[in-house]
């Protein structure tokens, strides 16, 4: 199984008012993130607005990311659906296009039992020959993954990673204790990444890394070297970005930050709204303070 570790920015999906993906903007962003030292790219995560894009747009986002990466870093593409069959079709298509891994996300309208949740993720992992990262976000998902389901999924030969976007670091430790080396944990912006690295995390997949990639990589490297005092000093500075990210719409916040850095990524997909002028000032002030 491929070794995913480090900083994986959740890419935004630049969309113009007519619904076209701004491929040149996305390609440039990918190039700049790789140059900044990130360890992988994740299109169609939460910040990528997967829930607001159609299948053609999703494929274009994934294809553009893979083309831009040119094998320099792994591309772990987000797969999300309310339908198992549709999720499986997405995963197969992204693998065929060249994705190095799949980030498996469950959408749900009606509540699902543990067995149904487990079957969804197993079906995705059974359908591909590349590593699968299972994603859990109890703040947004109607049907979350319990510890029992996570432990059973960890036994699947292609499910070797979990990205947990809860705010509960104790839950991460429970996952690590329960699954051992069978499941490597990535944190989200909802967690303090340095703390997750301290307890045994392998990195983080998060939107803020799009706008502070160099600082994120520096933080990861400090953690890997066990230079915890320096890591926490940097983490305190970076946390202002995470606080802003938590206050506002996910995509709107990161798109505003990227726009201030010269990327014409456009507004969030309606009915989402862009940040107000005052909200943009909060994001821009936090970036200014980081230099």
């Amino acid at each position: 199984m491929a070794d995913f570790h480090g900083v994986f920015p959740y890419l935004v999906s630049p969309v113009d008012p007519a619904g076209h993906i701004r491929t040149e903007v996305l390609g440039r962003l990918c190039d700049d993130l790789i140059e900044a030292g990130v360890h992988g790219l994740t299109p169609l995560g939460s910040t990528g607005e997967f829930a607001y894009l159609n299948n053609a747009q999703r494929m274009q986002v994934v294809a553009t990311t893979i083309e831009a990466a040119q094998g320099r870093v792994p591309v772990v593409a987000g797969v999300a659906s309310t339908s198992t069959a549709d999720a499986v079709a997405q995963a197969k298509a992204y693998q065929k296009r060249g994705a190095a891994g799949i980030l498996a996300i469950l959408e749900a309208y009606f509540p699902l039992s543990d067995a149904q949740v487990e079957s969804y993720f197993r079906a995705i992992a059974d359908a591909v020959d590349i590593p699968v990262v299972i994603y859990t976000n109890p703040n947004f998902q109607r049907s979350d993954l319990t510890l029992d389901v996570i432990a059973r999924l960890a036994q699947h030969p292609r499910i070797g990673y979990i990205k947990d976007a809860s705010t509960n670091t104790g839950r991460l430790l429970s996952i690590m204790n329960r699954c051992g080396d069978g499941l490597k944990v990535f944190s989200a912006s909802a967690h303090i990444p340095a703390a997750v690295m301290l307890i045994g995390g392998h990195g983080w997949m998060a939107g803020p890394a799009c706008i502070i990639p160099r600082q994120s990589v520096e933080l990861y490297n400090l953690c890997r070297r066990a230079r915890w005092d320096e890591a926490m000093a940097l983490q305190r500075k970076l946390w202002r970005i995470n606080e802003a990210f938590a206050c506002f719409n996910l995509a709107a916040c990161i798109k505003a930050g990227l726009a201030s850095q010269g990327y014409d990524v456009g507004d969030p997909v309606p009915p989402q709204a862009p940040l107000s002028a005052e909200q943009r000032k909060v994001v821009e002030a936090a970036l200014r303070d980081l230099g």
Side-chain angles (χ1 to χ4, degrees):
M1 183 178 293
D3 177 28
F4 298 154
H5 63 274
V7 178
F8 280 66
Y10 266 12
L11 301 173
V12 297
S13 296
V15 184
D16 71 17
H20 302 123
I21 303 299
R22 295 175 174 176
T23 55
E24 291 185 7
V25 177
L26 180 56
R28 179 181 150 228
L29 175 61
C30 292
D31 274 336
D32 290 346
L33 290 170
I34 293 170
E35 185 179 340
V38 302
H39 304 85
L41 299 171
T42 305
L44 303 181
S46 302
T47 310
E49 302 176 273
F50 65 82
Y52 301 89
L53 304 178
N54 61 38
N55 281 337
Q57 290 170 318
R58 291 182 183 187
M59 176 55 81
Q60 192 163 22
V61 167
V62 172
T64 299
T65 304
I66 292 168
E67 288 168 8
Q70 295 182 340
R72 292 174 289 173
V73 297
V75 173
V76 178
V79 164
S81 185
T82 53
S83 156
T84 300
D86 180 48
V88 165
Q90 289 178 42
K92 288 181 175 179
Y94 298 159
Q95 177 182 353
K96 185 176 181 180
R97 191 62 186 78
I102 297 296
L103 174 74
I105 305 164
L106 173 62
E107 294 189 278
Y109 183 80
F110 294 112
L112 299 173
S113 68
D114 278 3
Q116 292 165 327
V117 170
E118 183 177 346
S119 70
Y120 174 88
F121 288 97
R122 282 192 179 279
I124 294 171
D126 288 343
V128 296
D129 299 316
I130 51 179
V132 173
V133 183
I134 55 177
Y135 175 93
T136 173
N137 190 339
N139 298 314
F140 291 99
Q141 290 174 315
R142 186 173 178 84
S143 296
D144 192 29
L145 287 86
T146 64
L147 283 174
D148 286 342
V149 169
I150 291 169
R152 289 195 294 270
L153 289 173
Q155 297 174 13
H156 193 287
R158 280 178 295 284
I159 298 176
Y161 304 87
I162 184 168
K163 184 270 177 82
D164 180 283
S166 72
T167 57
N168 185 351
T169 304
R171 172 181 162 98
L172 299 186
L173 193 55
S174 294
I175 292 170
M176 292 175 189
N177 285 343
R178 186 81 175 265
C179 301
D181 294 334
L183 201 64
K184 297 177 181 178
V185 171
F186 280 80
S187 75
S189 56
H191 296 285
I192 298 173
V196 175
M197 291 295 292
L198 177 63
I199 65 173
H202 283 256
W204 52 96
M205 297 179 173
C210 277
I211 53 177
I212 49 169
R214 293 186 188 280
Q215 298 94 327
S216 296
V217 171
E218 182 184 356
L219 177 60
Y220 173 78
N221 288 336
L222 288 171
C223 292
R224 284 294 299 269
R225 295 171 188 149
R227 292 163 59 177
W228 299 113
D229 289 346
E230 295 170 76
M232 285 310 303
L234 178 56
Q235 178 71 91
R236 289 188 182 96
K237 292 180 182 179
L238 300 186
W239 194 246
R240 281 197 63 193
I241 296 292
N242 294 72
E243 288 175 327
F245 185 77
C247 290
F248 309 132
N249 172 279
L250 305 177
C253 183
I254 304 304
K255 282 187 168 180
L258 287 170
S260 74
Q261 295 174 339
Y263 298 95
D264 188 15
V265 293
D267 291 332
V269 179
Q272 301 173 103
L275 297 190
S276 67
E278 288 302 312
Q279 290 170 335
R280 280 179 177 265
K281 289 179 182 177
V282 173
V283 175
E284 290 167 2
L287 287 172
R288 254 194 327 269
D289 289 347
L290 292 174

